[in-house]
Amino acid sequence: MSGDLKWNKILGAGLATVFVILVVREGTAFIYHNEAPEKMGYLVNAPEEAAGGAAEVVLPPDWGTVLPIADLAAGEAAFARCKSCHTVDAGGPNGIGPNLNGIAGRATASHAGFAYSDAMKAHAGTNPTWTLDELDLFITAPGRHVPGTKMSFAGIRDTATRVNLIAWLRSQGSAGMAIPAPDPARQPGAAPAAPVEGAEAAGAENGGQTGGAPVTGAAGQPTTAATPAAPPAATSPAPPNT
Ligand code: HEC
C-alpha cells in the first residue's frame, strides 16, 4: 500500500516537472514571439553544407582543366568514405555496393553479380554510362540524383574533394577514358549555356521529394501529418559517413 503511494508521489513529481517545462517553454515562446521562419527548414540530403541558393547556377567542373592537375592522393584519401561499401581493385568483390573498378566510363548498373535497386536500373535507361558529369552529380548527392537508390551515402558537397576523388577513381581501371578538352563554357565567369542536369532537382527536393521530411512545421510543432506524404521509395537510413 505505502509502496503504491510512493509511486504516486514519484509519478506526481514527474508530471509536475513536465508541466513546469511546458509552461516555461510556452512562456518563453510567448515572450520572444516565435515567428515561423519565412523559409521552412528541411532535412536536406546533404549535410556538409547547405545546398546553394536555388537561384545560384553551379557550373559543372571543367574536366579538361581540373583532372590533369587533380590531387590523386587526396582523391584516394576521399575514397576512405566509400570503402565500407565498395572495393575498387580489378576483380574485387562486391560489398554493400558494387565493385567500382573502371567506374568512369563504365555502363550504369552493369557490374556482374550485384543486385542494383530498381531506381538505379531505371536510371541506367536514361543515363547508360558513368560519365564524369554523371559521377559528379551522383557523388554530390546520391539520393537526389538517383531518387530511391540504395546507396545510403549523404554525398560529398565539396567540389575539390569530388574532383580529386573522381580523378583517382579514373586511375583505377578507367585510364582509357579520355580526359575531355578544356571547355571555356565551364570556366568561371562563363555564361552557363545550359544548367547542370539535376541542378534544379535540388529545389524540388527541398519540397520534400527525397527523404526530405520536414524537421518542424509552423511554430515548431512536430509535423506528424507531413511525413506520409513522402514517396514510398524509402530513402536509406542515416548516412554512415558524413
Ligand atoms: C553505405 C554504403 C555505400 C557507401 C558509403 C558508398 N556507396 Fe556507392 N553504392 C552503394 C550501393 C548499395 C550502390 C548500388 C546503388 C543502387 O543499386 O541503387 C552503390 C552504387 C554506386 C555507384 C554506381 C555503380 C554502378 O555500377 O552503377 C557509384 C559510382 C558509387 N556507388 C560510388 C560511390 C562513391 C564514390 C562513394 C564514396 C564517396 C560511395 N559510392 C559510397 C553503397 C555505398
Side-chain angles (χ1 to χ4, degrees):
M1 260 323 224
S2 65
D4 286 353
L5 274 178
K6 194 177 95 188
W7 285 112
N8 275 351
K9 280 187 198 162
I10 290 170
L11 194 71
L15 284 176
T17 311
V18 168
F19 179 73
V20 168
I21 290 170
L22 283 179
V23 165
V24 169
R25 226 175 58 163
E26 291 305 306
T28 46
F30 177 74
I31 292 165
Y32 293 110
H33 190 64
N34 215 347
E35 230 168 58
E38 249 170 58
K39 228 179 122 193
M40 295 316 257
Y42 290 102
L43 198 64
V44 177
N45 200 9
E48 276 188 36
E49 291 158 29
E56 189 187 321
V57 180
V58 183
L59 288 172
D62 177 25
W63 299 108
T65 306
V66 295
L67 276 191
I69 55 168
D71 182 344
L72 294 182
E76 180 169 13
F79 189 72
R81 305 171 65 175
C82 325
K83 269 184 181 161
S84 51
C85 302
H86 293 287
T87 62
V88 74
D89 48 315
N94 293 327
I96 295 170
N99 169 270
L100 292 181
N101 189 256
I103 190 66
R106 194 168 94 182
T108 308
S110 68
H111 197 68
F114 187 79
Y116 290 93
S117 65
D118 290 343
M120 187 59 84
K121 286 188 242 171
H123 186 73
T126 45
N127 298 81
T129 307
W130 284 112
T131 61
L132 299 167
D133 281 344
E134 265 293 300
L135 281 173
D136 189 51
L137 288 167
F138 185 59
I139 297 170
T140 303
R144 182 173 87 199
H145 191 56
V146 183
T149 177
K150 63 178 185 176
M151 170 156 145
S152 28
F153 179 72
I156 297 177
R157 302 296 288 181
D158 181 64
T159 303
T161 306
R162 276 194 326 274
V163 165
N164 291 334
L165 173 58
I166 290 169
W168 183 77
L169 284 172
R170 184 181 160 277
S171 77
Q172 304 297 303
S174 302
M177 189 202 207
I179 296 181
D183 180 355
R186 290 183 171 206
Q187 278 153 23
V196 196
E197 176 216 348
E200 72 287 343
E205 184 196 41
N206 288 347
Q209 293 287 308
T210 319
V215 175
T216 54
Q221 313 267 25
T223 50
T224 37
T227 21
T235 19
S236 34
N241 295 328
T242 46

